Amino acid sequence: MSKRVLGLDLSANAIGWALLEEMHGSSNRIIDLGCRIFSKALEEKASSSKDAERRNAGLIRRILQRRARRKQRMLNYLLKLDLLPQELQASSKPGAILNQIGNPYHLRAKALDQKLSRHELGRVILHLVHHGSLPRSRKTLLGDVVDDPDALAVLAELGEDHAERGKEEMAFKKDVEAIRTAIKETGCRTLGEYLSRLDLRDCKRNRALGMHLRTDRQMYQDELELIWQQQQYHHALLTEQVKKQVESIIFYQRLPKSRTDRVNRCALEPKRKPAGMARLESQRFRYLQAINSLTYCEDCAEHEAFLSAGQKGRLVSLFESEAEVSFPMMRAALGFDEAMEFNLERSNKKLKGNVTACRIRKVLSAWNDLGAEKQQALVEDLLTINKKPVLEKRLAEHWGFDPVTIASLCLLEFEPGHCHFSVKAINKLLPFLYQGQSYSDARVSAGYGQEIQEREIRNKLGAPPETANPVLRTGLRELRRLINALIAEYGKPDAIRIRMARDLDMNARRQAEFIRQQKSNARANEEAMLMYQDIKRRNPHLNLTDSFDKTVQLKYRLWRDQQRRCAYSGLRISPSALFGSEVEIGYILPYSESLDDSYMNKVLCYRKENSNKGQKTPIDAFGGHKAQWNKIVQNLSQWDRSLTPKKKRFFMTAATVRKEDFVNKQLNDARYISRVAHGYLKQLGADISVSKGLTTAWIRQQWGLNNLPGGASAKDRVDYRHHAVDALVVACIDRPFYTHLIEAARDLEHKQSQLNLDDLPIEPAWQTLREDLQHALDNMIVAHAPLLESSGLSHGEIGAGKVYRRPLDGAFTQVNKIVDPVVKDIVRQHLDRYNGKPKAAFAEGVTIYHKDGKTPIRRVRILRSETTLPKLDPAESGAGDKQGRVFKWLAYDDSFHHVEILRNKNTGQYIGQFATMTEANHRARGIGKQKQPIAKTGQTEQLEFVMALHVNDMVSVEQDGQRVFYRVQKLDADSRECVLRLHSTAISGRKDEEVIHFCINEASFGRWRLRKHRINAIGKLIG
């Protein structure tokens, strides 16, 4: 009986697929194959989500807008009190009027001792609004706007990562303390007095080069209090009511909006909401789960052991008293030495304890004396009473705390977020977790039973599951489109075999670590090449070949990691012997038993020792010889800790290897992303397997498939079709294939001590596979996802400022690029007085002033090098305020949404109208105009619509009488052309690459006979 098997190769921006027919358990023909290409969810170099840059830019905009509204409220209030000149209301240059009143820093210092005029007082209060700051207890930082009360509200809405913010908080506190120390050392009373004493040329803004004027809210509150106390004797209007209103405008921080709509229901009690993570029940549930899942083993030992009841009890006391528990702390509590390793240590540096209790204990010394019931009640009050006056009253009247303790408790900040379970469910589980049961056993004991998932079989994929990983989220969306298109074309597959690329689950940290490791390996390979060439030159009698292959590189890396010694004998390996035939690479666990060809299963050893080991594990081969085994263990102790997984293989017996079932591990990838994909596809009712695909590259080489997609001798990564080749290999790999591979490897291992995988006889799945694949690739159209959305690109792609600020220093030479013509003339005349030498003209101590003769010019707005003022057409690229006045320009180079191609009915001339991303977004959302189609397809009396082209649209041109498919790679408004690249080309810039610069004119249409095509997710033409 035949069945359809679908192979999928998933990566960060591509899905290769191959649908095969399988008869009697063996693949025998290709039904179809293809490749889907889509935009990466991460920035290419930064490894951050494309949403992140746009989100942060929007965050800064909102912070600045809220600051502006706060300042406007204060301005209106001060005008009402007649504390500022009334002409500010209608003035287009309020800054000039305010500057005439006086330097705000000098006025802030003067206000501490002397009477200020009404307008001077208003100037001081207005200045404090602009520089209001966050409470120091809040871990919400963002560059130069960290000391703004509005930043907290916005960041709270976004839910930023607290671990990263914790690192920034430390740096922020250091900067704040540095300012406090500087204020004390100079004998100043307030921040304003300190800043007033700085040299006029020292910029007092946070963005000053080399300065970190980080402040906290308390500095401004203290300063306002001192100024108010002094000035209220001179101004009768400074009443207590006015003071409350001023403080409200400057310091009021609204509570963040509730996000209960984003919180799922309890998994065990569906009618109840999950408990807050800060609750004591949630804290204890978290650390008990960790304690009960802990196992430990001595360094390099084979078996892991669970903790005893007494050991778990000691850890419970430790976790209850510490907010964070490191593994050395756990070893000390249990009396273990440093050689003992915990299973959770491999993926965590620290575990969280009872964070809530520890934070309260710091400010409430009597916490441990309250008892469990009162502790629970106090935490309930702290978490549920949001209004500070109400909480203060409750803590004073009900709990009887002193004012200092009350103030400290009110300022406490607890862990955000929610647990997965409700309070009711947690309270049912906790008694059994305290008994030492695992979560799965505890839920049975609590009456919830085993976790059983019932799944409805569907005929097509529904919406993918929600995930925080942007790469995986994008991949699952495209997978849904592809699978549903395949089902519509060929019906549901009987089996789906998937390989998940490692870049799918890499966050920024893991990506950085991966890149660092790649660079380290590259350096090692370079060192290996130099060493090999030097040994070959010095030792001609060794007859080393001229070829420098991967074996040489691998030998060098293993030699370096093993302290230049044989892994089994402990004898030193000299550099001259390293690349000779007496030293070879061996498998720690026999390949025929483990199917593990990774670096962690390979060692460098003398041929004789590798032959003595044979096809056994190291402990089986040498464990009976006590002296040699002790020497091996001693050598292993000298290896780096990063090689711990390799060292553990030495202690695995043959029985343990067989118990591990390495074949099953190859066929079942246990990563989170693999589990998500497996669960998502399971709804189709097909047999789903997600493999690691470690043998894919080797099988592809053995079958001679590497040179098919692009004609290269090695696998051609410049051709997108390599994803389809990988998918075909994945579709052919199943348990019978691995069984056959094991048998072939076992036969070869008996013949030679060093196994070379290239010698394994692995035949293609069917005889004509290579020819069938070549034919399928020749007729395949790579399905690119067109960029049709008018939003979703990174902030940099949507638009970047063409005007920026530049400080006047010794390196400034861009006088002609200054935007303001008046400032340009002043700077030019100043520079002429110093013979055009900027180092002298803008040296320290030399000040240049505006035309008023008072305001120093420290920075100027200049145009970027590729821009001129005539190009900055406000109607096209200007950002305006609510009154329509342009206050900055934006650039949209290479950020066009589409081009509308029109044809003149009378002359036959073609016209291209390029629409920017912002323009398309405004059409779709109706900004500044009524909503309209993104692409204007209407006709006029003279012009008829031909087509609209977007980036990644599929087109075909006529070449030698045949239609050849290209994709639109770029829209160039300056040249009035579209750059077309072959649909299969992955990397641009090759000399032999076929690129068409299609100019939008009659000649190009006549020559190329351009047609636009619609294709679906599997590369089939629509219509």
Side-chain angles (χ1 to χ4, degrees), residues 5 197 229 409 413 555 746 779 833 840 893 992 1012:
V5 177
R197 296 185 182 183
Q229 290 177 7
L409 288 173
E413 184 181 6
K555 274 190 171 184
R746 189 174 289 124
N779 292 279
R833 286 196 292 270
D893 298 67
D992 59 341
K1012 179 182 175 181

Side-chain angles (χ1 to χ4, degrees), residues 898-902 911-913 915 923 934-936 945 947-948:
H898 67 273
V899 56
E900 299 157 4
I901 301 179
L902 309 173
I911 301 171
Q913 296 181 350
R923 291 179 186 177
I934 295 178
K936 297 180 179 180
F945 177 80
M947 66 180 72

Side-chain angles (χ1 to χ4, degrees), residues 113-289:
D113 303 303
Q114 304 174 38
K115 176 185 176 181
L116 297 181
S117 68
R118 295 172 69 92
H119 292 173
E120 287 177 336
L121 178 60
R123 177 75 171 107
V124 167
I125 296 175
L126 187 64
H127 194 251
L128 290 175
V129 175
H130 188 69
H131 295 277
S133 66
L134 288 176
R136 288 183 58 193
S137 63
R138 298 294 185 177
K139 295 180 179 178
T140 45
L141 309 173
L142 190 72
D144 293 334
V145 294
V146 297
D147 45 2
D148 188 293
D150 301 309
L152 177 61
V154 180
L155 283 169
E157 293 174 7
L158 294 175
E160 294 293 317
D161 181 75
H162 285 259
E164 291 300 320
R165 289 185 293 165
K167 297 177 183 178
E168 295 181 9
E169 173 74 358
M170 295 301 296
F172 175 60
K173 286 184 176 181
K174 288 181 180 179
D175 290 338
V176 170
E177 288 305 315
I179 293 295
R180 287 188 180 279
T181 302
I183 293 174
K184 289 181 180 179
E185 290 178 350
T186 55
C188 297
R189 291 161 290 179
T190 64
L191 175 66
E193 186 177 19
Y194 166 72
L195 294 176
S196 69
R197 296 185 182 183
L198 296 181
D199 189 274
L200 287 176
R201 285 190 59 84
D202 289 337
C203 182
K204 302 176 181 65
R205 304 181 71 176
N206 285 343
R207 54 183 156 186
L209 297 176
M211 298 190 69
H212 299 279
L213 295 180
R214 303 299 192 202
T215 59
D216 64 5
R217 172 178 294 214
Q218 195 61 44
M219 292 182 183
Y220 295 95
Q221 289 177 326
D222 293 343
E223 182 171 357
L224 179 63
E225 182 65 28
L226 290 176
I227 292 174
W228 203 273
Q229 290 177 7
Q230 177 65 30
Q231 297 302 315
Q232 67 181 353
Y233 297 111
H234 308 295
H235 301 277
L237 60 84
L238 297 183
T239 63
E240 194 64 27
Q241 183 178 359
V242 172
K243 182 182 179 183
K244 286 184 178 180
Q245 182 65 19
V246 168
E247 287 179 334
S248 174
I249 296 175
I250 298 177
F251 301 116
Y252 170 73
Q253 177 61 60
R254 70 173 180 83
L255 292 174
K257 294 180 180 178
S258 173
R259 304 176 66 179
T260 54
D261 59 315
R262 302 187 186 183
V263 179
N264 295 323
R265 292 285 175 173
C266 171
L268 301 179
E269 299 283 348
K271 293 183 179 180
R272 296 180 178 269
K273 294 181 180 180
M277 197 64 241
R279 294 183 66 94
L280 294 177
E281 303 97 325
S282 302
Q283 298 282 308
R284 288 162 181 155
F285 178 76
R286 177 174 61 191
Y287 72 65
L288 283 171
Q289 275 189 296

Side-chain angles (χ1 to χ4, degrees), residues 502 513-523 525:
R502 58 188 169 190
E513 291 175 357
F514 176 69
I515 293 174
R516 280 196 298 271
Q517 185 60 48
Q518 280 189 320
K519 290 181 178 179
S520 175
N521 293 344
R523 287 193 297 270
N525 293 339

Side-chain angles (χ1 to χ4, degrees), residues 955-960 962-966 982-983 994:
V955 298
S956 68
V957 299
E958 190 172 297
Q959 292 179 341
D960 299 327
Q962 295 182 339
R963 305 302 299 183
V964 180
F965 288 90
Y966 285 75
L982 271 175
H983 67 98
E994 295 185 40

Side-chain angles (χ1 to χ4, degrees), residues 934-960:
I934 295 178
K936 297 180 179 180
T937 60
Q939 302 189 42
T940 64
E941 294 183 2
Q942 293 188 345
L943 299 176
E944 61 178 352
F945 177 80
V946 178
M947 66 180 72
L949 294 179
H950 308 74
V951 172
N952 284 341
D953 268 343
M954 190 65 65
V955 298
S956 68
V957 299
E958 190 172 297
Q959 292 179 341
D960 299 327

